[in-house]
Amino acid sequence: MPTLPTHLFLNGRYADDLARRRTPLINPATEAVFTEVAAAEPADVETAVSAAQKAWESGWRDLSPGKRTEILFNVARKLREHIEELAQLEMLQIGKPIADARDEAGLGARVFEFYAGAITKFGGQTLPVSRGGFDFTLRQSMGVVAAIVPWNFPFPIACWKVAPALAAGNCVVLKPASLSPLTALKLGELAHAAGLPPGVLQVLPGSGAAVGDALVTHPRIRKVSFTGSTEVGRRIMELAARDLKRISLELGGKSPNIVFADADWQRAADSSPMSVFANTGQDCCARSRVFVERSIFEPFVERFVQATRALKVGDPAQEETQLGPLVSAGQRASVEEYLTDARQRGSRFACGGSRPLPKGWFLEPTVLLDVDKKDRCWREEIFGPVVALTPFDDEATLLQEVNDSPYGLSGSVWTQNLSRALRVARAVESGVLSINSHSSVHVEAPFGGFKQSGLGRDLGMAAMEGYTELKNVYVAE
Ligand code: NAD
């Protein structure tokens, strides 16, 4: 087992006082408590924000772009040296299959590389203002940013927020979810070992209600960058409104997967199960509503179910495992409530629906048919391994049904007709869309949602813009 970080990471070191309240961590694959991690309290928010403000004013804000680039590349290198350790920690705390956990640790390092390189390519403009003279814009850092992240992709999402915020010259207080503090703490430790000055990145595990609220309402926090549920996002927006804090919100989803009869539908059917069941369905981009053109609906379902049955569910430590357990007993109970609802409402279970193993919070990937479009399973984000498939007849009705959702995060369109692909891609109300693919996340491209899936963007240069204020300076001739 790797060494477990169990203390808050404050001002460049672990705060190892033992008097603090601690949260037990449970391995979702075994249901065994394997460690306890210190839980931050509102007073720690004050300590962290003061240290961050000091670090920003006394150096980080004014560090040369070249030096900041060098430090962030060093952080990326350090993360790459520790990929196995980061992957093991992620697997232990949330049951993520080890192969996925390694990929995601590598993704985190890549995010740091991208933003290290972006620092010297990101700036303002000169503008030909009508009164003459000289006018230019500056992209300025904000100060202290709070990054609040969920438990489903704890390490990469922390990197999506921390790396561009630091690259833009801010200091960050990072709050991981209570279920997944380990890789966030390790990020703080490794970043400082790579040369990040004390106070520039601090990590406060703790409950959302206590630490999250204290961070969001702290007057020195200039921006809150949040990924999590739509419900908590709404609360953060309300709290942030009091002093008009900048916010970005990456929230829930109920994404469509649209398959036209002219597509390479066999490839779509083979690949679609993992577009919803990856991470055991605990994925904001999960394509959980599958729309298939009626003429191919039956063979598509047959092939989709076959591919689902072939998925390897089990011990996340095994290289070949594709689906680990759900993150907690509560998460599985919540998914099972949806399945009970589906049974009561007369949906058909093409496969799945049961617990495959006696120990651990596992659940079979479940394929539902005949789900009424008013039912909870069709409308709500289940956040577990459950998908519903439905046939469609024409493009206009399809688009109406696809967009009849409060969410708009991601989606896929499968067709070989280029005009149709572009027409549908434009019409689907979502921030991210893939054609003949299920790939949603590219470090270089903006990621985020329409409607109640959020506002603002992670990744790409859009994220860096979001961590700056735009100033205009006019110089008279
Ligand atoms: P959550 O909203 O319960 O928690 C997210 C984070 O917010 C955690 O760190 C939590 O401790 C904190 N938090 C809770 N209450 C808070 C409060 N009052 N003030 C401030 N912070 C608070 O979400 P979760 O269960 O960890 O993650 C699952 C959700 O995240 C799903 O809805 C999923 O769709 C969403 N998600 C979205 C994206 C995206 O990019 N759009 C990515 C991953 C997950």
Side-chain angles (χ1 to χ4, degrees):
M1 200 193 280
T3 318
L4 303 176
T6 56
H7 299 288
L8 315 185
F9 191 80
L10 280 172
N11 211 4
R13 61 176 194 90
Y14 283 118
D16 52 0
D17 61 286
L18 299 172
R20 225 171 264 283
R21 207 167 49 79
R22 307 181 80 74
T23 312
L25 290 190
I26 304 176
N27 180 338
T30 62
E31 301 181 30
V33 173
F34 66 95
T35 192
E36 291 187 332
V37 173
E41 294 181 3
D44 300 308
V45 170
E46 187 54 49
T47 309
V49 175
S50 303
Q53 181 74 22
K54 196 162 153 234
W56 183 65
E57 286 172 4
S58 66
W60 188 249
R61 173 181 62 184
D62 302 314
L63 205 63
S64 73
K67 187 66 192 160
R68 213 180 301 141
T69 301
E70 188 188 315
I71 293 176
L72 292 198
F73 270 124
N74 285 342
V75 173
R77 202 168 304 117
K78 188 62 93 181
L79 296 179
R80 287 207 180 280
E81 286 164 15
H82 290 263
I83 281 190
E84 188 57 31
E85 189 181 358
L86 288 161
Q88 295 285 340
L89 292 176
E90 206 81 301
M91 181 185 76
L92 273 174
Q93 64 184 357
I94 57 162
K96 184 161 313 247
I98 191 67
D100 294 345
R102 282 190 196 112
D103 285 351
E104 290 174 22
L107 172 62
R110 206 144 54 75
V111 171
F112 270 90
E113 284 155 1
F114 176 79
Y115 287 107
I119 292 171
T120 50
K121 295 154 197 80
F122 177 72
Q125 290 176 296
T126 57
L127 297 164
V129 291
S130 53
R131 69 180 309 138
F134 183 64
D135 191 280
F136 63 97
T137 62
L138 290 172
R139 286 275 175 194
Q140 294 192 311
S141 61
M142 297 169 144
V144 186
V145 168
I148 304 178
V149 298
W151 47 258
N152 60 339
F153 294 96
F155 184 70
I157 292 180
C159 294
W160 295 5
K161 298 190 182 302
V162 170
L166 297 182
N170 305 284
C171 292
V172 179
V173 180
L174 169 64
K175 197 205 92 56
S178 316
L179 296 172
S180 56
L182 300 179
T183 43
L185 289 167
K186 204 73 196 168
L187 173 63
E189 176 194 325
L190 294 174
H192 284 77
L196 206 66
V200 173
L201 170 63
Q202 297 169 94
V203 188
L204 294 183
S207 94
V211 187
D213 271 17
L215 270 174
V216 176
T217 53
H218 195 290
R220 287 279 190 194
I221 295 285
R222 288 294 156 82
K223 165 154 182 167
V224 180
S225 178
F226 171 78
T227 296
S229 59
T230 296
E231 188 192 342
V232 174
R234 200 171 280 124
R235 173 166 174 76
I236 287 177
M237 195 165 182
E238 282 168 12
L239 290 176
R242 293 182 192 169
D243 42 8
L244 293 174
K245 272 195 178 96
R246 305 324 182 226
I247 51 173
S248 70
L249 305 172
E250 301 290 347
L251 309 174
K254 190 75 185 175
S255 296
N257 181 6
I258 303 165
V259 187
F260 286 94
D262 68 15
D264 179 350
W265 63 264
Q266 291 87 347
R267 189 158 74 85
D270 292 344
S271 60
S272 289
M274 279 306 273
S275 80
V276 57
F277 299 135
N279 214 36
T280 319
Q282 304 163 119
D283 180 351
C284 54
C285 290
R287 272 79 166 157
S288 51
R289 295 182 297 153
V290 186
F291 299 82
V292 185
E293 198 161 0
R294 194 176 297 277
S295 62
I296 55 161
F297 186 68
E298 284 190 13
F300 183 93
V301 169
E302 195 178 318
R303 197 153 170 151
F304 186 107
V305 169
Q306 204 176 23
T308 300
R309 287 191 203 279
L311 295 176
K312 299 212 161 33
V313 183
D315 180 1
Q318 300 296 317
E319 294 292 330
E320 64 278 9
T321 295
Q322 291 168 286
L323 274 71
L326 287 148
V327 74
S328 64
Q331 188 65 20
R332 183 171 65 179
S334 151
V335 176
E336 285 178 334
E337 262 180 46
Y338 280 97
L339 297 183
T340 303
D341 191 67
R343 278 191 193 96
Q344 286 168 353
R345 306 277 305 157
S347 297
R348 265 192 301 142
F349 283 58
C351 66
S354 310
R355 300 179 177 187
L357 293 162
K359 201 81 182 154
W361 297 310
F362 293 92
L363 191 60
E364 288 171 343
T366 305
V367 179
L368 300 178
L369 302 172
D370 302 334
V371 180
D372 192 286
K373 299 201 171 69
K374 292 195 193 67
D375 286 359
R376 290 180 65 206
C377 280
W378 184 261
R379 304 202 65 80
E380 297 176 16
E381 181 182 51
I382 299 175
F383 226 55
V386 183
V387 70
L389 279 70
T390 189
F392 70 87
D393 293 301
D394 65 274
E395 207 177 295
T397 320
L398 163 79
L399 287 172
Q400 228 168 34
E401 290 181 348
V402 163
N403 289 335
D404 180 19
S405 166
Y407 295 115
L409 186 56
S410 185
S412 299
V413 182
W414 292 80
T415 174
Q416 305 214 20
N417 178 328
L418 182 61
S419 317
R420 171 183 282 149
L422 297 178
R423 196 169 59 236
V424 173
R426 238 195 312 261
V428 173
E429 294 170 348
S430 69
V432 176
L433 198 87
S434 333
I435 296 171
N436 297 328
S437 158
H438 295 302
S439 175
S440 297
V441 171
H442 309 273
V443 175
E444 307 76 12
F447 176 85
F450 281 19
K451 302 191 280 187
Q452 293 184 31
S453 287
L455 54 95
R457 292 293 179 267
D458 277 331
L459 298 176
M461 295 309 279
M464 211 146 147
E465 285 175 16
Y467 290 108
T468 55
E469 291 286 5
L470 183 60
K471 180 180 282 177
N472 190 67
V473 180
Y474 175 71
V475 188
E477 263 174 339

